[in-house]
Amino acid sequence: MRYDDDAQLDASEVTDQRGRSGGGSFGGGGGGPAGGLLPMLVSLLFRGRSGKVSWVVVVVVVVGFLAVSFLGGGAGTSVPVAGGFGEPGGPPVAGTSELASECRTGADANTNPDCAIVADINSIQAYWAGGGYARVARVTRGAAPTYQRVDTVFFSDRVNTRCGSADSSAGPFYCPADDLVYIDLTFYDQLRQQFGAQGGGLTNAYVLAHEYGHHVQDLLGTEAAVRTRQGATSDAVRLELQADCYAGVWMNHATAPADGRPALITDVTQADLDGAIDAAQRIGDDYIQGRLGGGTVDPDSFTHGTSAQRKKWLTTGYATGDPTRCDTFRTDDLG
């Protein structure tokens, strides 16, 4: 995947808090979501919403075995999080001056991984602001209010949010209480090293496009309507598959002008798409439970969908380029 060398980047859509101390307690003082009962070594991916916040998949490696935990108040929580993620923090303090000076054009995105993420965020939001959100809102809500741009916060180790305190083991997430996406960029290393994903530029963008899909769901009221939090056909699974589909829709439009701006991304190859699909399959409930966890696959505990389902809905979004085709809540065939 390549970026237009002459395209202008907008680093104001990122708040860079790396190197800052997030502070606060996580999980009641245990250094991780197990509240000190289990040492968390690595975790993954993607965030869903339950009450104030849900976290989609957290994989915990503990002395020779791997257990799957679902953080937050949603069904399927196997490890309780004391005090609702600790004490909520205030809004992040902007720390983007260095990033803004480094990430000015697409040429910077082609040589600097941090700038590539900035470009991805700009592209994702340009699509939704440039008509993607209005299209799905007309069908879902009968009206098309304006898409609300939100920032992504880069953090290291730990961060305070209005959803509570979190550390990097939680993986990327969207906090609806402060309308921000959060990511520790070392997550991309974990995705390759711990889960064996191919990685690559579009894979990195897919992670963020999925989180911005949750923001779209929040704006549309989709997440607020979720009732069943666990099970193969639960609302939680449908929510995550829809966010994957929304990510695929953006991929379809990634090389097209949007929101009155030229396209930031000039080239998305089949190899790029294969890498993103590979990542999606490695975070399916069945893959995590059966292969990474080495245990029995239990569909009744699913919260995100199988590998095949995640592939299906990501590719559905990419093939159609139409967010209205992502209605996972009105189909009996999730894949």
Side-chain angles (χ1 to χ4, degrees):
M1 188 170 78
R2 284 195 58 82
Y3 305 90
D4 180 355
D5 283 343
D6 297 325
Q8 299 299 303
L9 304 186
D10 181 4
S12 71
E13 292 188 341
V14 173
T15 297
D16 191 353
Q17 289 195 347
R18 289 171 295 179
R20 296 172 181 265
S21 175
S25 61
F26 185 82
L37 299 177
L38 298 175
M40 173 169 286
L41 302 181
V42 63
S43 63
L44 182 78
L45 185 66
F46 288 107
R47 172 258 157 229
R49 182 180 176 186
S50 173
K52 284 189 176 180
V53 68
S54 307
W55 313 74
V56 173
V57 175
V58 178
V59 177
V60 185
V61 180
V62 183
V63 193
F65 73 91
L66 184 150
V68 180
S69 308
F70 301 97
L71 305 185
T77 302
S78 59
V79 181
V81 181
F85 299 103
E87 295 302 318
V93 178
T96 61
S97 57
E98 183 175 345
L99 198 65
S101 65
E102 294 177 352
C103 303
R104 297 179 181 274
T105 68
D108 298 323
N110 283 321
T111 58
N112 183 327
D114 289 359
C115 299
I117 300 302
V118 172
D120 295 339
I121 293 165
N122 292 168
S123 176
I124 293 164
Q125 299 217 86
Y127 165 69
W128 290 113
Y133 177 73
R135 183 171 187 174
V136 70
R138 289 190 188 99
V139 173
T140 304
R141 302 178 58 177
T146 304
Y147 172 78
Q148 299 172 24
R149 292 177 181 265
V150 297
D151 288 358
T152 290
V153 178
F154 293 172
F155 72 96
S156 54
D157 299 327
R158 185 182 297 268
V159 68
N160 280 341
T161 81
R162 288 196 176 97
C163 295
S165 298
D167 64 20
S168 57
S169 65
F173 63 96
Y174 166 71
C175 173
D178 54 20
D179 289 323
L180 292 169
V181 172
Y182 292 87
I183 185 170
D184 184 328
L185 296 182
T186 61
F187 168 77
Y188 293 128
D189 296 328
Q190 294 180 358
L191 188 57
R192 293 190 301 272
Q193 296 167 9
Q194 301 295 336
F195 288 81
Q198 298 173 20
L202 191 63
T203 299
N204 294 349
Y206 159 54
V207 171
L208 288 165
H210 178 102
E211 299 307 326
Y212 275 97
H214 284 306
H215 174 55
V216 170
Q217 292 169 327
D218 190 30
L219 293 176
L220 293 172
T222 308
E223 294 192 41
V226 168
R227 295 294 178 264
T228 54
R229 302 288 178 180
Q230 189 175 13
T233 60
S234 64
D235 290 350
V237 166
R238 294 172 187 273
L239 194 76
E240 296 305 322
L241 296 179
Q242 185 178 65
D244 277 343
C245 187
Y246 284 160
V249 169
W250 164 75
M251 291 178 190
N252 176 284
H253 295 273
T255 58
D259 199 25
R261 299 177 58 182
L264 284 166
I265 298 170
T266 60
D267 184 37
V268 173
T269 68
Q270 184 62 46
D272 293 326
L273 180 61
D274 290 344
I277 292 172
D278 171 69
Q281 291 177 304
R282 290 177 186 274
I283 54 174
D285 285 321
D286 56 341
Y287 184 91
I288 291 173
Q289 291 182 5
R291 298 194 185 186
L292 297 182
T296 302
V297 175
D298 178 17
D300 290 338
S301 69
F302 285 0
T303 58
H304 310 93
T306 67
S307 295
Q309 288 171 334
R310 300 202 75 160
K311 175 182 178 180
K312 172 184 175 177
W313 288 100
L314 178 63
T315 55
T316 294
Y318 180 77
T320 65
D322 183 356
T324 68
R325 299 288 294 276
C326 295
D327 192 350
T328 55
F329 289 87
R330 296 186 182 183
T331 180
D332 294 327
D333 181 18
L334 290 175

